Amino acid sequence: MTSNLERYAERHTRAAGVATAVAVCVCALFGAQISTSESAPPRTLWPAWIIVVSCAAVPAARTRPRATLAVTTAAAAALTAMGYLPSPLLLAPVMAALYWLAALTDSRTTGVGAAATVAVLVATSLAGAPLGDDFLLRTAGTVLWLLLPVSLGGMSRFRRAYIESVKARAAHAERTREEEARLRVAEERMRIARELHDAVAHHMAVAHAQAGTAAHLADAHPEQTRKILADLVGTTSSALLELRATVGVLRHSAGPDADPLEPTPGLDRLPTLVAACESAGLTVTVSTEGEPQPLSPGVDLTAYRIIQEALTNATKHAPDHTARVRLRYDSSQLTVTVANDGTPSGGTPPPVPGGGYGLMGMRERAHSVGGDLRAGPRPGGGFEVAAALPFRPRTPADAPAGPRPEDTP
């Protein structure tokens, strides 16, 4: 009920102010008729006019609570000084002003205003009538009646502050949810972009090299050309399968009738990857150091994709058409190194494969499992990609700290 009245008063401020002024005016006029045997107020029209002036100031309490309290207190002090009993009806305009002062201002301002009002009214009430049986009504009664609107106004202020804080927290939570949703969408788009890049760019680069080699050897070596063309069919088939698996991730939420996903590639497919690169003219040597350890699916996929992208770059840029892959298993991590030698004698340096999204994608993959990746030219010539990957994924914050070389010299 109270909240409904407050909402109505907020929507119709002027009407609520006029209604409040009329109500307190009626109360004050009735209060002026109350007296005791010790009180002998004058029977003139002046008190009525003072009451009307005091009540006329009440509608301004919402915008000027201090000025309204000063006017109503002065009017009430004049009435009590004439001998009128400070009953709650007579003090209605002052009580309304105190309520809005407590509801709209801070606690210090409210305390000072309430204390000054109580002191003035008690002093004028005692001065306007002789001490008698109504002493408690003029002192303790005045204090209690004036403290009532102060407490109600303070409760109203605290309730509004609480509601505003709840609304602020709700708005903040809504913004946080929207930002989190956008972040998840961006991360998912980045992941899909990496998968598409790795699946399409590698196979297309190998297929392009295979087709070029087959065209070059078609007349002089038909048997070797047929073998390369057969490998080209396998390369394009692998590209289609990986592309289908990647697109299947997007369709996975369609329901149980969606196409089953292909197994995630890992280091067990390394021989097939090496064979495809060799058919494109790249000589690849693979060495393993240490005892192979089981890898989590995420780390296994990351290691495979890093080697795949590095061999793709070597297929396109290595001047000697050779690449060396080294897998070193330590106590807690796998170190993957893919390197190629420098420029042949009399040749020109190849472009550094750092201008596209390949190195960026490799580094993002390594960081996603808590590892690190270094890529750049080798001191003796050539290019090297080295990644340190934990056997089990960690958060990027747990990755070993240290300086990272730049992608380009």
Side-chain angles (χ1 to χ4, degrees):
M1 181 66 177
T2 304
S3 53
N4 291 336
L5 291 176
E6 289 182 353
R7 285 196 295 267
Y8 178 84
E10 291 176 357
R11 290 195 300 266
H12 306 85
T13 306
R14 182 172 299 179
V18 172
T20 303
V22 172
V24 296
C25 186
V26 172
C27 291
L29 290 174
F30 274 107
Q33 306 301 319
I34 300 175
S35 62
T36 62
S37 58
E38 286 81 9
S39 62
R43 301 300 178 180
T44 63
L45 292 178
W46 283 109
W49 286 110
I50 294 175
I51 291 173
V52 170
V53 171
S54 174
C55 296
V58 171
R62 283 176 173 268
T63 55
R64 297 178 178 86
R66 297 175 181 85
T68 303
L69 180 62
V71 172
T72 55
T73 300
L79 293 174
T80 54
M82 294 178 187
Y84 286 92
L85 184 68
S87 64
L89 294 178
L90 186 70
L91 298 178
V94 182
M95 295 172 67
L98 279 174
Y99 171 85
W100 287 113
L101 182 72
L104 300 177
T105 62
D106 57 277
S107 300
R108 182 177 181 181
T109 302
T110 301
V112 172
T117 300
V118 169
V120 169
L121 293 182
V122 170
T124 56
S125 179
L126 294 177
L131 297 180
D133 294 338
D134 59 356
F135 175 79
L136 289 178
L137 294 177
R138 294 180 178 274
T139 55
T142 301
V143 174
L144 294 177
W145 288 120
L146 294 181
L147 289 180
L148 177 60
V150 173
S151 61
L152 294 177
M155 292 173 56
S156 177
R157 183 177 73 250
F158 293 145
R159 183 171 64 252
R160 283 202 306 272
Y162 173 74
I163 293 174
E164 290 177 0
S165 66
V166 169
K167 291 181 179 178
R169 288 197 298 268
H172 176 72
E174 185 66 24
R175 289 194 302 270
T176 303
R177 283 195 296 269
E178 293 176 357
E179 292 173 0
E180 183 178 355
R182 286 195 296 268
L183 180 60
R184 289 182 178 178
V185 170
E187 291 177 349
E188 185 65 12
R189 290 177 61 185
M190 186 69 68
R191 187 184 69 82
I192 294 172
R194 285 198 302 264
E195 291 294 335
L196 289 175
H197 176 273
D198 293 342
V200 176
H202 166 73
H203 291 294
M204 291 302 100
V206 173
H208 176 75
Q210 289 172 333
T213 304
H216 179 71
L217 301 176
D219 295 332
H221 302 83
E223 292 295 330
Q224 189 175 357
T225 300
R226 281 193 290 271
K227 181 179 181 303
I228 293 175
L229 291 177
D231 293 338
L232 177 60
V233 173
T235 300
T236 55
S237 298
S238 298
L240 291 175
L241 287 176
E242 288 206 30
L243 185 60
R244 178 175 176 267
T246 303
V247 174
V249 173
L250 302 178
R251 302 178 57 190
H252 187 59
S253 59
D257 297 334
D259 295 337
L261 304 182
E262 296 292 330
T264 303
L267 292 180
D268 57 331
R269 294 194 188 181
L270 189 56
T272 303
L273 176 63
V274 171
C277 292
E278 289 180 342
S279 68
L282 180 69
T283 301
V284 182
T285 58
V286 180
S287 62
T288 303
E289 300 177 5
E291 184 68 22
Q293 300 291 330
L295 305 176
S296 67
V299 175
D300 198 15
L301 172 63
T302 298
Y304 176 83
R305 291 302 191 192
I306 289 174
I307 296 174
Q308 183 185 54
E309 179 61 27
L311 291 180
T312 301
N313 290 336
T315 302
K316 296 187 290 184
H317 301 293
D320 56 351
H321 301 290
T322 62
R324 297 185 303 278
V325 178
R326 186 180 67 177
L327 304 175
R328 189 180 70 191
Y329 292 88
D330 295 329
S331 58
S332 60
Q333 68 179 14
L334 166 66
T335 303
V336 178
T337 305
V338 182
N340 62 274
D341 291 328
T343 306
S345 177
T348 58
V352 176
Y357 295 101
L359 288 179
M360 183 187 303
M362 287 191 289
R363 181 167 288 111
E364 289 174 351
R365 283 186 178 277
H367 291 170
S368 68
V369 296
D372 195 16
L373 183 137
R374 298 177 290 105
R378 301 175 62 215
F383 198 84
E384 181 180 85
V385 175
L389 307 175
F391 294 149
R392 291 291 180 268
R394 301 194 302 265
T395 61
D398 297 331
R404 297 173 185 158
E406 298 295 331
D407 291 349
T408 57

